[in-house]
Amino acid sequence: MNLPQSSYHSEIQRERTLRLRQILKELPDFCGEFFRGIEPTTTILTRLNYAYDLRLFFRYLTEEVSSFFGKEIPSFTLSDLEEITPTMLEEYLEYLGYYVKDQDKEYENHNPGKARKLSTLKSFFKYLYKREKLTQNVAEKVDMPKIMEKPIIRLEPDEVAKMLDAVETGEALTTAQKRYHKYTRSRDIAMFSVLLGTGIRISELVGLNVEHIDFNTDSFLITRKGGAQVVLYFGEEVEKALADYLEDRKKMLPPDSDEAALFLSLQKRRMSQRAIQQLVKKYAAIVTPLKKISPHKFRSTFGTMLNHETGDIYLVADVLGNKDVNTTRKHYAAIADDRRRLAAGVVKLRDDD
């Protein structure tokens, strides 16, 4: 199976590239050199997020730092950057905790958000210092915010079954939701089966075209985050769900339709990531109301189940497309809840007699 990168992913790349170019017009000229320098080692999404972070940082300088009050962002020079101190960066991190902009819209960042934005500045100042544009790397003197590890949320095997049952029957849906369920039932079962049965990312799911499915080998072609294309395989349950949906999909479209997207909205267009996120949220509220489940948690569920069944963390990393096996081990080689429940009954506080 060797197909060109789907038009969906190509269009996303183009949109992000144009957006990055637009933001660069709002930033100082030397920022352009930074983005050109990191282009070979980063994705367009990473660079776009860096651009958003840098724009926020320069806006902060012009609005909150007295020595830069009223200064136009494009007019910043490298000499201006030399004036920035570690204290200024620490004050910026404090500001990120809560600030108001864009017509009184409120924003909050906890330590993970602050750490990501500081990471952008560390990369930015490191690059300029390495290129001898600055005489010091002030950002390296600022400590990263401490990030507390959160428990990894995933579905237990019985919850996976309940989730698929809820999607299939639609019994717990409201009357209004049931009216749409009869039209989307096979599609939703197929989407949930693919997510739970293969562990692909939501962006990879959205980018699937009909031509990417090969029932001869029970495989499909996906485009990873960095643009690489990979063939993954699926089991019998996923195969049946996809086959059933494709039969219904044929009835949705006119015979001469050239729509390539695999998963279609009721408007017969490619489904968006947000629409799928909302769909998962709807059923998660029914099946696991105490867990905050998202499509990414489906990915965690698959990774954990695959590791449990095979004991091969390298296989898990490869299938999920994770570059760092240690990160994979951290997230998917966790102790299952059934083992924790076992621990609860082992320790006796009092003798029975």
Side-chain angles (χ1 to χ4, degrees):
M1 188 184 296
N2 186 18
L3 299 172
Q5 183 166 314
S6 72
S7 58
Y8 167 77
H9 288 284
S10 299
E11 181 60 30
I12 292 295
Q13 294 288 88
R14 285 193 292 270
E15 289 177 2
R16 289 171 176 168
T17 298
L18 292 174
R19 183 60 182 150
L20 174 59
R21 290 175 182 171
Q22 187 61 40
I23 297 175
L24 280 175
K25 294 177 182 178
E26 304 175 38
L27 296 174
D29 288 342
F30 51 79
C31 290
E33 181 177 345
F34 166 65
F35 283 99
R36 287 191 296 274
I38 65 173
E39 191 273 336
T41 58
T42 57
T43 65
I44 182 60
L45 180 58
T46 295
R47 296 194 296 280
L48 182 57
N49 286 328
Y50 277 11
Y52 285 131
D53 290 344
L54 287 177
R55 184 175 64 179
L56 178 61
F57 175 63
F58 280 107
R59 282 181 177 174
Y60 165 79
L61 293 178
T62 63
E63 297 171 4
E64 303 292 334
V65 180
S66 58
S67 56
F68 298 117
F69 276 165
K71 190 176 182 68
E72 295 292 330
I73 292 177
S75 67
F76 269 78
T77 64
L78 291 168
S79 296
D80 291 324
L81 291 189
E82 295 279 15
E83 296 181 26
I84 294 174
T85 65
T87 299
M88 286 182 184
L89 295 182
E90 290 168 351
E91 290 172 343
Y92 173 59
L93 292 180
E94 182 182 23
Y95 165 82
L96 289 173
Y98 173 81
Y99 61 97
V100 180
K101 70 181 186 69
D102 297 338
Q103 298 179 342
D104 298 329
K105 188 172 182 180
E106 298 178 333
Y107 295 85
E108 287 185 284
N109 284 279
H110 299 292
N111 278 6
K114 292 180 180 181
R116 200 208 77 183
K117 290 175 173 58
L118 179 57
S119 178
T120 295
L121 294 180
K122 283 181 175 288
S123 296
F124 181 59
F125 279 95
K126 179 181 178 180
Y127 177 86
L128 294 176
Y129 176 68
K130 185 177 179 180
R131 291 293 187 272
E132 299 182 344
K133 304 292 182 179
L134 297 176
T135 60
Q136 63 171 336
N137 179 2
V138 66
E140 71 176 354
K141 301 177 182 179
V142 180
D143 293 332
M144 294 292 286
K146 185 176 181 179
I147 300 176
M148 302 297 291
E149 286 193 14
K150 294 182 179 180
I152 299 169
I153 298 173
R154 58 178 68 84
L155 295 172
E156 292 300 313
D158 63 318
E159 292 172 331
V160 171
K162 290 177 182 177
M163 182 73 72
L164 292 172
D165 287 345
V167 177
E168 185 169 18
T169 65
E171 290 177 356
L173 298 176
T174 65
T175 301
Q177 289 171 334
K178 287 180 179 178
R179 284 198 292 268
Y180 294 102
H181 177 260
K182 62 182 179 181
Y183 298 110
T184 65
R185 175 181 169 277
S186 65
R187 181 203 68 187
D188 296 347
I189 293 172
M191 284 196 302
F192 277 59
S193 296
V194 170
L195 287 169
L196 288 165
T198 67
I200 65 173
R201 298 176 177 89
I202 185 172
S203 61
E204 296 163 351
L205 180 85
V206 170
L208 282 174
N209 290 345
V210 174
E211 62 185 354
H212 294 152
I213 309 297
D214 183 356
F215 285 108
N216 291 320
T217 57
D218 284 348
S219 63
F220 57 86
L221 186 72
I222 62 169
T223 302
R224 294 290 197 194
K225 285 196 301 185
Q229 292 189 305
V230 178
V231 175
L232 293 181
Y233 299 87
F234 49 80
E236 291 181 5
E237 292 174 290
V238 176
E239 177 190 25
K240 183 180 185 309
L242 281 172
D244 289 346
Y245 165 63
L246 284 172
E247 284 300 314
D248 288 341
R249 184 184 179 281
K250 291 177 184 176
K251 303 171 187 175
M252 294 172 57
L253 297 170
D256 59 346
S257 173
D258 60 354
E259 176 57 62
L262 175 60
F263 293 112
L264 303 178
S265 67
L266 288 173
Q267 290 73 40
K268 300 178 177 56
R269 295 193 295 268
R270 187 184 300 273
M271 290 191 71
S272 67
Q273 292 190 35
R274 179 169 177 76
I276 297 173
Q277 288 166 343
Q278 291 299 111
L279 193 64
V280 170
K281 183 179 179 181
K282 178 177 72 175
Y283 283 105
I286 295 171
V287 177
T288 59
L290 298 183
K291 291 183 178 180
K292 190 175 181 180
I293 298 297
S294 66
H296 191 72
K297 301 301 187 295
F298 283 5
R299 181 172 164 82
S300 299
T301 298
F302 172 81
T304 302
M305 293 172 70
L306 181 61
N307 183 67
H308 180 76
E309 293 297 325
T310 66
D312 189 342
I313 200 66
Y314 292 94
L315 172 64
V316 177
D318 179 63
V319 172
L320 293 177
N322 292 339
K323 295 180 180 179
D324 187 350
V325 72
N326 291 318
T327 300
T328 305
R329 181 178 289 109
K330 173 183 174 182
H331 285 86
Y332 303 113
I335 298 174
D337 270 0
D338 58 348
R339 298 289 293 169
R340 293 194 182 98
R341 294 190 187 104
L342 175 64
V346 170
V347 178
K348 296 290 186 182
L349 301 183
R350 296 184 182 185
D351 290 334
D352 293 337
D353 55 3

